[in-house]
Amino acid sequence: MTILDGNIVTVAMPAIQGDLGFSAPGLAWVVNAYLIPFGGLLLLVGRLGDLVGRKRMFTTGLAVFTAASVLCGVADGQGMLVAARALQGVGGAMTSAVVLGMLVALFPEPREQGRAIAVFSAVGAAGGALGTFLGGALTQALDWHWIFLINLPIGVLALVAALRILTADNGAGLGSGADYPGAALVTSALMLTVYAIVGAGERGLGGTLALGLLALALFAGFTLRQARAARPLLRLRLLRSRTLTSANGVQILMIAGMYGFQYIGALYLQRVLGYSELLTGTAFLPAPITIGVLMLSLSARTIARFGPYRVLLAGLALITAGLALLSRAPVEGAYVTDVLPPLLLLSTGFAAAMPAVTGLAMSGARAEDAGLASGLFNTTQVVGGSLGLAVLTTLAASRTERLTGAGEHVVAATANGYRLAFTVATVIAATALTLAAALLRPDRTSSTASAEEVPPHTPSSADPAVPGERIGTGT
């Protein structure tokens, strides 16, 4: 449900904008309002799950997410929708931060655990596959409110099942402590960063720089807090690993390009090529299906044979090529020749790159830091999606507005704006490829196992905090 909800809103964006009167930059907050609290709270609620019990955290988060979905579905104004989406992000973080830890505790035997995680990944891929399609179908058949209201029966059934089936676990107790000031600092810094970028076109350079400096100050405060806190959200020694920090940096850039493609690609199909919501959702179906099939059937074997470094480079090269093809974005484009080929390149590249970069990131952490490393990886993924969406939508809107003001036809100006966004996304992906090639290359002279030979970490019930699924999985 959380993965589906990250995708289902994309196709309905034009309908939401037309109904509630969002500006082009402001429309991105329908997505960002969900992503920012989701990513900013993962570390904190993962720790709280250890303290109060993972079942309690999971079921509470499920209730919050379901209630927030209803608020989204009845929203009749911009403020109410954005606030309800933020509450959804809180509930999504509460469930996702503990679900994998619950899964591996239920299936401690390695073979059964492997099957359980495979099924879990398949469910995520199914959520991604259904999201764009259901978003288009519900919006066209009913209206956009139903893309959120559909979560009510799903959430109620899941909550009843969780309460009846899952075994209660006793946490360490709230007296063990959690770094609430640290969570407040990092969440505020993330929100302010995205806000500064989204409104850059309307605010001007001076105001944007001022907000950016304030965000940097908050990040610096978070760093100082983590260095001094008795129980920090993020142990700073993690950042001393070049492999871990480089893999997270590469992931930020990769997800920024991919998330921008998903959002802007849907707008391109509707506003330039004239697709309906249902046809747009159907057009996107090959991507999540390809990602799900390849991740479950080929990724592990391919990485085992060639190593995560080579697989990551190949995946990033395919992503860069796909975005480069999209940067053409013709006004009179055809799906078979102008949309489907880059769509398949991007989905194949993501299916290869995502497991590889995950394995590299986790191989850079010591066993006792595996839970925190996983939390950091989930968080940087959300940061990449939010920042990529903010930057690319702002650039596209600014270019379109400038050309429209100069007298160019609105459809041609819109296509031109999207071409700029896809071109910048291509540069971002190429930068990720360059950084990965330079910083993640294994040391062949080392007598110890290289990063290529270290399999991705499998969470265990002993991990201090095991965050949940990555929200990009299946997108």
Side-chain angles (χ1 to χ4, degrees), residues 108-371:
E109 196 275 320
R111 186 181 296 272
E112 289 186 351
Q113 187 179 112
R115 291 198 197 102
I117 291 176
V119 172
F120 176 78
S121 300
V123 170
L130 289 173
T132 48
F133 178 76
L134 283 178
L138 290 171
T139 302
Q140 186 165 322
L142 299 169
D143 62 49
W144 64 265
H145 296 84
W146 285 93
I147 68 174
F148 300 111
L149 293 175
I150 193 176
N151 288 334
L152 178 59
I154 299 173
V156 170
L157 287 173
L159 183 58
V160 171
L163 291 171
R164 291 174 60 90
I165 296 172
L166 297 178
T167 302
D169 56 319
N170 295 319
L174 287 175
S176 298
D179 185 17
Y180 303 108
L185 284 169
V186 71
T187 304
S188 300
L190 291 173
M191 289 183 174
L192 191 60
T193 299
V194 177
Y195 175 72
I197 296 173
V198 168
E202 302 173 358
R203 192 182 304 107
L205 181 60
T208 301
L209 286 176
L211 290 175
L213 291 174
L214 181 56
L216 286 176
L218 289 172
F219 277 120
F222 172 72
T223 303
L224 291 174
R225 171 69 188 177
Q226 299 314 287
R228 299 176 179 178
R231 297 178 181 87
L233 286 177
L234 177 63
R235 297 189 184 105
L236 296 182
R237 70 165 182 261
L238 282 175
L239 305 181
R240 297 172 189 165
S241 167
R242 191 186 74 171
T243 300
L244 185 144
T245 54
S246 299
N248 276 278
V250 168
Q251 181 189 221
I252 288 176
L253 296 173
M254 180 180 74
I255 297 298
M258 287 296 296
Y259 213 97
F261 142 73
Q262 182 181 347
Y263 179 86
I264 294 176
L267 294 179
Y268 168 70
L269 290 176
Q270 294 180 73
R271 292 179 174 174
V272 177
L273 301 188
Y275 283 27
S276 66
E277 290 90 350
L278 178 59
L279 191 56
T280 299
T282 306
F284 267 86
L285 271 179
I289 292 175
T290 300
I291 290 171
V293 170
L294 292 180
M295 275 189 173
L296 291 176
S297 62
L298 293 178
S299 290
R301 284 182 288 175
T302 304
I303 291 173
R305 179 175 180 180
F306 298 103
Y309 174 74
R310 296 187 184 91
V311 174
L312 174 60
L313 294 188
L316 289 173
L318 290 174
I319 290 173
T320 303
L323 290 171
L325 287 178
L326 281 173
S327 65
R328 296 169 53 248
V331 175
E332 301 293 337
Y335 178 76
V336 174
T337 57
D338 298 306
V339 178
L340 185 58
L343 195 69
L344 293 176
L345 283 174
L346 287 163
S347 55
T348 303
F350 186 79
M354 194 66 216
V357 77
T358 303
L360 286 167
M362 296 309 297
S363 73
R366 296 185 292 186
E368 63 267 26
D369 292 327

